[in-house]
Amino acid sequence: KFKFNIDVYKEYRDKLKINEDSLVLGHVGRFDKQKNHEYLIDIFNEVHKKNKNSYLLLIGIGELKNEIELKVKKLNLSNNVIFLGLRNDTEKLYQCMDVFVLPSLYEGFPLVCVEAQCSGLKCIFSSNISPETKLLDTTILFPIDVPAEEWANKILEYKKNITNRKNGYINVVKKGYDLNSEILRFQEMLEDWSMNK
């Protein structure tokens, strides 16, 4: 369900009233200190200074949401930062993003990292996240102890190429993140074990 679909891309851009030329950043995560939304807004502010036709989609809820909304308002970004709350269509929202940004202070192995890469998104994750999350060459692990402008510059290097996004799913499957292939692999392991018992 996370595989890139051009029809869903167009449908959700229309729903959000975002044109196809816009640069859309996305983030999925609860609003708490760990997810580092303060820094994420600083990053987007730097992106928006250089590209006015840019948006940030924030999916999630949490105790710091009001604080982040105030920061967005103070920076005059309210028209470009879209708070989407808790959603049950996240896999479709990934489709209309261009770059997935996760500047967490710490993480283990967040599933959103796999989902975003499966959707063919360019991804920039905090280097504080487990390096195993980097499944694709298009994914960057970047330090969070640098000025937000450095993250913005990495994001702005992105060149939109929708036709390449389908490769995300294919390459993630090759890394072993496919339920059907893993079930077959597990069955083979069990058969080998029972034969050697």
Side-chain angles (χ1 to χ4, degrees):
K1 68 182 181 179
F2 295 99
K3 185 178 181 180
F4 181 68
N5 182 314
I6 187 69
D7 295 328
V8 176
Y9 168 87
K10 289 176 179 175
E11 177 194 346
Y12 270 67
R13 289 244 172 168
D14 285 346
K15 279 183 180 181
L16 295 168
K17 298 180 173 52
I18 297 173
N19 66 48
E20 287 191 35
D21 295 331
S22 301
L23 174 65
V24 179
L25 279 55
H27 179 274
V28 179
R30 67 192 177 283
F31 286 83
D32 67 15
K33 187 179 177 184
Q34 172 194 352
K35 299 295 181 183
N36 208 6
H37 282 87
E38 285 251 354
Y39 188 54
L40 176 59
I41 299 305
D42 290 337
I43 292 165
F44 180 68
N45 187 40
E46 294 297 330
V47 168
H48 196 254
K49 283 177 188 175
K50 298 173 183 185
N51 180 352
K52 297 296 180 193
N53 188 17
S54 57
Y55 293 85
L56 173 62
L57 307 182
L58 295 175
I59 301 163
I61 56 172
E63 59 188 38
L64 297 180
K65 183 171 179 271
N66 290 345
E67 191 179 302
I68 297 304
E69 284 176 327
L70 279 173
K71 178 167 182 154
V72 165
K73 196 173 181 180
K74 281 181 188 171
L75 291 169
N76 296 314
L77 294 171
S78 297
N79 292 332
N80 295 80
V81 177
I82 303 170
F83 291 84
L84 293 165
L86 196 59
R87 302 289 292 234
N88 60 6
D89 59 349
T90 308
E91 74 281 359
K92 293 180 177 172
L93 287 162
Y94 284 122
Q95 307 293 317
C96 72
M97 299 173 188
D98 295 307
V99 183
F100 188 80
V101 187
L102 194 72
S104 301
L105 296 172
Y106 55 91
E107 293 273 2
F109 190 100
L111 265 181
V112 293
C113 294
V114 178
E115 294 169 356
Q117 289 174 94
C118 197
S119 298
L121 287 169
K122 167 145 185 169
C123 296
I124 303 182
F125 304 148
S126 160
S127 56
N128 289 6
I129 296 173
S130 170
E132 286 80 21
T133 54
K134 179 179 164 58
L135 303 175
L136 305 179
D137 292 339
T138 51
T139 297
I140 298 167
L141 297 177
F142 209 62
I144 54 170
D145 58 351
V146 298
E149 187 178 8
E150 290 190 33
W151 277 68
N153 290 338
K154 280 285 171 197
I155 290 163
L156 291 165
E157 287 172 9
Y158 170 77
K159 299 289 179 272
K160 192 178 292 216
N161 187 345
I162 289 172
T163 54
N164 280 350
R165 285 196 54 181
K166 287 182 181 172
N167 295 337
Y169 166 76
I170 294 163
N171 291 326
V172 167
V173 166
K174 284 179 184 173
K175 297 279 184 174
Y177 289 86
D178 176 68
L179 188 58
N180 293 326
S181 60
E182 286 304 290
I183 288 169
L184 288 172
R185 195 169 69 85
F186 188 63
Q187 282 176 331
E188 287 170 9
M189 284 170 57
L190 283 176
E191 285 168 11
D192 288 346
W193 176 78
S194 63
M195 284 171 53
N196 294 323
K197 195 176 173 190

